[in-house]
Amino acid sequence: MKYKLSVLATLLLATPTSLLAATTPTPQYPEVTEQLFAQCKADFALLAKQQGVTDDTITRALLPASLQAKVIEYDRNQPEFVRTFPDYVSKRVNDWRINKGREMLKEHSALLQSLNQRYGIPAHYLVAFWGLETNFGQYKGKMPIVASLATLACDERRSEFFTKELLKALQLIEKERIDPEQMVGSWAGAMGHTQFMPSAYLNYAIDGDNDGKADLWNSVPDALTSAANFLQGLGWKPGFRWGREVKLPDNFDYQLIGRSTKKSLTEWQGLGLTKADGSPLGAAEIKASVLLPAGHEGPAFVIYDNFSVIMRWNFSEFYAIAVGYLADRLIGSGELVQPLPELPTYTIADMRTLQVNLNQLGFDVGEPDGILGPATRNGIQGFQVAHKLVADGFPSLRVFEKLQQLTGETSTN
Ligand code: CA
């Protein structure tokens, strides 16, 4: 597939009304004004006090925090295009990260070995997280954490989550005796080498270099020890991989893909799956699911329990594959066997149109939101089965074309 034009451009220009029909209004939230922010901060100060935060911390850390208009802007900033797996993974698991990661494995080998012994997390996974989160500490973010979290807590969209994190941030300042001015990170509150949210920092950070403080900004031993402790806490199973690339048999039943279907490797092997190079998968009672992040023309993966652990760190299948694949590359594995397919560029509007059209034809995908989630994949799969297309649940150009044919006809009449 060599489509460079947006699906919208190739398919929808002829029937622009379908796009209008597809656009669902995004919910509006009240503007966070200076006045609202001041009131919200005052209310939060009372709550924090009830939770045992001292007046001193409230005065030093919370009261000077100013409204961060940019944070609201970042939070509202909807991407125009749907992220595709080939684009995502090729940008993240790149030569620079692989080479730098291998250097880091060597440079910190003693520390990493001891962490593997103590926590059961192999070195190459820790380094993969580190590389993906901050380019091994090169970019840790410079936004003021308390002010950013306070802004998000005072905004209705995700107020509950960020109110909790803001409280944790204040508790963290007390526990680790952090200077609030030095507490910087991403606009959404993630901090240090491995981008811990305040709750993770508070619960899992470890003083790895024994200087009396868990400092995830300035100490690599602290950051990597904390990452190992966090992964152990999230349920990492020592001795197991994240998953691996596999090859599906020609007669594969695509209804079996997705994290909700689990079978043992023995069962998958019985269904004809092999390792990507064609060698036996190996019979084992390990439970695994099959993922096809770029459709049936792209690479296939089996994923194990540790994949879910990675997703507890960051709830994204693409992210979890990138961690696992980068970890493998760091210790010498080659590139993916199945080349990444060139996919058409989908805009969010394209995806909404697809969802509206599927709903219209009776393949329920829920409220059209422009996001390719499990419900949309199921709807696509049902549509593919009904129209004798490869039922991989993937929005290929053929799916868009077929849908456009069917719904374009009805809507123009
Ligand atoms: Ca330390």
Side-chain angles (χ1 to χ4, degrees):
M1 303 246 280
K2 286 213 173 359
Y3 299 100
K4 269 301 174 190
L5 279 174
S6 135
V7 175
L8 183 70
T10 52
L11 293 176
L12 299 182
L13 282 178
T15 52
T17 47
S18 68
L19 178 63
L20 288 175
T23 310
T24 44
T26 39
Q28 294 292 317
Y29 299 96
E31 189 195 344
V32 185
T33 58
E34 290 290 352
Q35 196 190 356
L36 187 148
F37 185 70
Q39 183 59 52
C40 166
K41 239 172 40 171
D43 293 344
F44 179 79
L46 287 176
L47 173 88
K49 225 174 143 169
Q50 281 167 10
Q51 298 292 318
V53 177
T54 64
D55 284 334
D56 177 57
T57 304
I58 289 170
T59 308
R60 281 189 311 120
L62 181 68
L63 298 187
S66 58
L67 174 62
Q68 303 289 307
K70 262 209 152 94
V71 167
I72 303 275
E73 215 177 281
Y74 292 141
D75 186 60
R76 296 288 189 277
N77 191 8
Q78 300 284 340
E80 187 186 348
F81 294 99
V82 175
R83 212 162 43 179
T84 67
F85 178 72
D87 182 54
Y88 182 95
V89 80
S90 56
K91 278 194 181 123
R92 282 162 184 80
V93 186
N94 56 28
D95 287 344
W96 182 85
R97 275 217 180 87
I98 294 166
N99 293 330
K100 189 79 184 167
R102 287 175 182 166
E103 277 174 39
M104 293 297 109
L105 272 178
K106 273 189 205 141
E107 192 176 323
H108 301 283
S109 66
L111 167 69
L112 290 162
Q113 255 176 39
S114 77
L115 292 178
N116 190 14
Q117 277 162 13
R118 195 157 145 214
Y119 297 97
I121 321 290
H124 50 297
Y125 286 97
L126 292 175
V127 172
F129 276 103
W130 189 19
L132 288 169
E133 291 295 340
T134 60
N135 282 344
F136 315 99
Q138 286 191 3
Y139 187 74
K140 295 179 284 218
K142 289 177 181 158
M143 294 295 289
I145 290 292
V146 173
S148 299
L149 288 174
T151 300
L152 290 164
C154 294
D155 177 33
E156 264 186 36
R157 199 172 88 83
R158 291 189 284 171
S159 176
E160 197 183 332
F161 173 78
F162 285 109
T163 300
K164 281 184 197 153
E165 290 296 334
L166 177 58
L167 180 64
K168 301 283 180 192
L170 297 187
Q171 291 169 340
L172 181 61
I173 285 169
E174 293 187 348
K175 183 184 174 201
E176 298 293 344
R177 302 180 311 281
I178 295 166
D179 175 355
E181 303 232 324
Q182 306 291 313
M183 198 178 198
V184 292
S186 82
W187 64 267
M191 295 171 282
H193 279 272
T194 48
Q195 295 289 280
F196 274 29
M197 290 299 287
S199 52
Y201 202 135
L202 194 65
N203 294 327
Y204 294 101
I206 302 258
D207 175 17
D209 58 15
N210 295 311
D211 71 347
K213 272 179 84 151
D215 181 351
L216 302 190
W217 290 275
N218 302 304
S219 165
V220 170
D222 286 10
L224 294 180
T225 308
S226 302
N229 187 42
F230 189 30
L231 285 166
Q232 186 188 53
L234 294 176
W236 187 270
K237 290 196 167 171
F240 291 95
R241 298 171 50 83
W242 64 279
R244 65 166 74 249
E245 190 190 355
V246 291
K247 194 164 177 285
L248 305 179
D250 289 337
N251 64 352
F252 184 72
D253 174 5
Y254 287 97
Q255 311 264 18
L256 298 177
I257 61 176
R259 279 183 287 126
S260 54
T261 301
K262 287 185 180 183
K263 292 176 180 299
S264 70
L265 283 183
T266 311
E267 288 173 292
W268 286 123
Q269 183 156 271
L271 289 170
L273 273 74
T274 61
K275 286 184 184 170
D277 63 5
S279 65
L281 201 50
E285 287 318 297
I286 303 168
K287 288 281 180 198
S289 300
V290 173
L291 292 186
L292 271 180
H296 70 280
E297 291 173 281
F301 301 93
V302 287
I303 52 163
Y304 310 146
D305 285 347
N306 282 338
F307 189 89
S308 309
V309 175
I310 302 173
M311 283 187 68
R312 275 173 220 139
W313 178 304
N314 181 345
F315 195 71
S316 153
E317 288 182 358
F318 289 2
Y319 178 84
I321 295 173
V323 168
Y325 176 42
L326 176 58
D328 286 348
R329 296 297 302 276
L330 293 181
I331 53 167
S333 293
E335 289 180 31
L336 295 173
V337 173
Q338 180 69 21
L340 293 168
E342 258 194 79
L343 297 175
T345 309
Y346 311 104
T347 64
I348 303 286
D350 290 336
M351 201 55 73
R352 278 212 195 98
T353 302
L354 171 127
Q355 292 169 324
V356 168
N357 290 346
L358 284 169
N359 279 340
Q360 200 183 323
L361 293 172
F363 302 97
D364 181 24
V365 302
E367 184 68 27
D369 58 3
I371 295 166
L372 178 59
T376 301
R377 286 197 200 123
N378 280 341
I380 294 172
Q381 208 161 42
F383 176 79
Q384 288 169 322
V385 170
H387 293 277
K388 305 214 159 37
L389 302 171
V390 177
D392 58 2
F394 192 77
S396 64
L397 198 67
R398 289 208 60 187
V399 167
F400 273 97
E401 277 168 350
K402 191 87 193 161
L403 268 171
Q404 191 62 20
Q405 273 171 20
L406 294 168
T407 54
E409 278 160 19
T410 53
S411 69
T412 46
N413 288 333

